[in-house]
Amino acid sequence: GIQVEQSPPDLILQEGANSTLRCNFSDSVNNLQWFHQNPWGQLINLFYIPSGTKQNGRLSATTVATERYSLLYISSSQTTDSGVYFCAVVRSTDKLIFGTGTRLQVFP
Amino acid sequence: KAGVTQTPRYLIKTRGQQVTLSCSPISGHRSVSWYQQTPGQGLQFLFEYFSETQRNKGNFPGRFSGRQFSNSRSEMNVSTLELGDSALYLCASSLTVAKNIQYFGAGTRLSVL
């Protein structure tokens, strides 16, 4: 089946720093979503981005479907950005296949 | 518009018992999917329901089952609980099939003692 790999696995930043999270997938996909899992476990939708670029405030995402990767950019990070970031893809079977996540810690 | 609601939020059970978890999707959403999250296996797909029919099933034993009602609310059941079933169970809803944007509930954290 399709493989979804995220890097880096862990990221430690000071408030105000910028970061780039990467998601590689091994086959073509119909759907790609980025999520932020907060400390209480809830998955918060960040982007639905099967291709192209989107921006939402300090966050932006780019998916290059032909090269099978997606990037999530976080600018001017805040302590509230801490948590685990997941990308998840849908191929042909309508189920989300999650990557292993990037754990982000932002310190004041 | 209310989000995806999962109940209960926390559960403690003992081995051999059974448990039922509930998920109410966003109003108007007809597809409900369930996922299990554990530290060792990450987030794994359990099953998906659409219009009261199971459309997709993940690689879990038959002890894991689910259903969907005519109002799109869904339940999942785990029978003969094992220690390894301790996990965060997440429910997601989407408008039609799962290729659309999926929205997640806060999850039910199950501990099996």
Side-chain angles (χ1 to χ4, degrees):
Chain A
I2 190 169
Q3 304 297 314
V4 183
E5 295 179 356
Q6 290 185 243
S7 60
D10 294 280
L11 194 53
I12 300 174
L13 299 174
Q14 194 153 25
E15 246 182 346
N18 303 328
S19 60
T20 301
L21 283 59
R22 187 177 179 104
C23 172
N24 291 333
F25 41 97
S26 59
D27 211 335
S28 59
V29 298
N30 294 319
N31 172 2
L32 187 145
Q33 288 185 246
W34 281 97
F35 296 93
H36 174 214
Q37 188 167 40
N38 64 25
W40 297 272
Q42 181 155 15
L43 285 169
I44 309 297
N45 286 61
L46 296 176
F47 294 101
Y48 169 80
I49 186 165
S51 64
T53 297
K54 290 186 177 180
Q55 180 154 9
N56 184 4
R58 296 181 297 103
L59 273 59
S60 64
T62 295
T63 297
V64 183
T66 52
E67 297 187 22
R68 299 177 187 165
Y69 72 89
S70 183
L71 301 173
L72 177 69
Y73 305 95
I74 305 174
S75 65
S76 304
S77 57
Q78 301 175 358
T79 55
T80 51
D81 295 331
S82 296
V84 184
Y85 290 80
F86 290 100
C87 72
V89 302
V90 170
R91 187 158 152 71
S92 59
T93 55
D94 298 347
K95 64 182 182 184
L96 278 172
I97 300 167
F98 284 84
T100 50
T102 292
R103 182 175 300 275
L104 174 63
Q105 297 178 72
V106 182
F107 291 96
Chain B
K1 189 186 270 193
V4 179
T5 304
Q6 291 188 245
T7 56
R9 292 294 313 280
Y10 303 93
L11 267 178
I12 300 175
K13 293 285 187 179
T14 56
R15 277 180 298 175
Q17 288 186 309
Q18 74 164 12
V19 67
T20 299
L21 312 182
S22 178
C23 173
S24 294
I26 293 170
S27 177
H29 285 196
R30 297 171 62 191
S31 172
V32 173
S33 300
W34 290 88
Y35 295 83
Q36 181 198 63
Q37 185 177 26
T38 60
Q41 300 298 317
L43 278 150
Q44 292 187 291
F45 172 79
L46 280 157
F47 25 67
E48 183 217 352
Y49 287 88
F50 179 75
S51 292
E52 302 177 66
T53 301
Q54 186 180 88
R55 287 172 41 89
N56 239 320
K57 189 177 193 306
N59 193 21
F60 279 81
R63 300 185 297 105
F64 291 81
S65 62
R67 59 178 175 168
Q68 186 180 34
F69 302 94
S70 58
N71 62 357
S72 294
R73 189 178 71 87
S74 177
E75 289 181 347
M76 68 163 280
N77 184 277
V78 188
S79 62
T80 320
L81 284 166
E82 300 177 358
L83 295 179
D85 298 332
S86 296
L88 178 65
Y89 290 88
L90 291 161
C91 164
S93 78
S94 62
L95 202 54
T96 54
V97 297
K99 288 189 182 70
N100 286 323
I101 300 172
Q102 294 196 39
Y103 298 89
F104 282 81
T108 294
R109 194 169 294 277
L110 172 65
S111 296
V112 182
L113 306 179

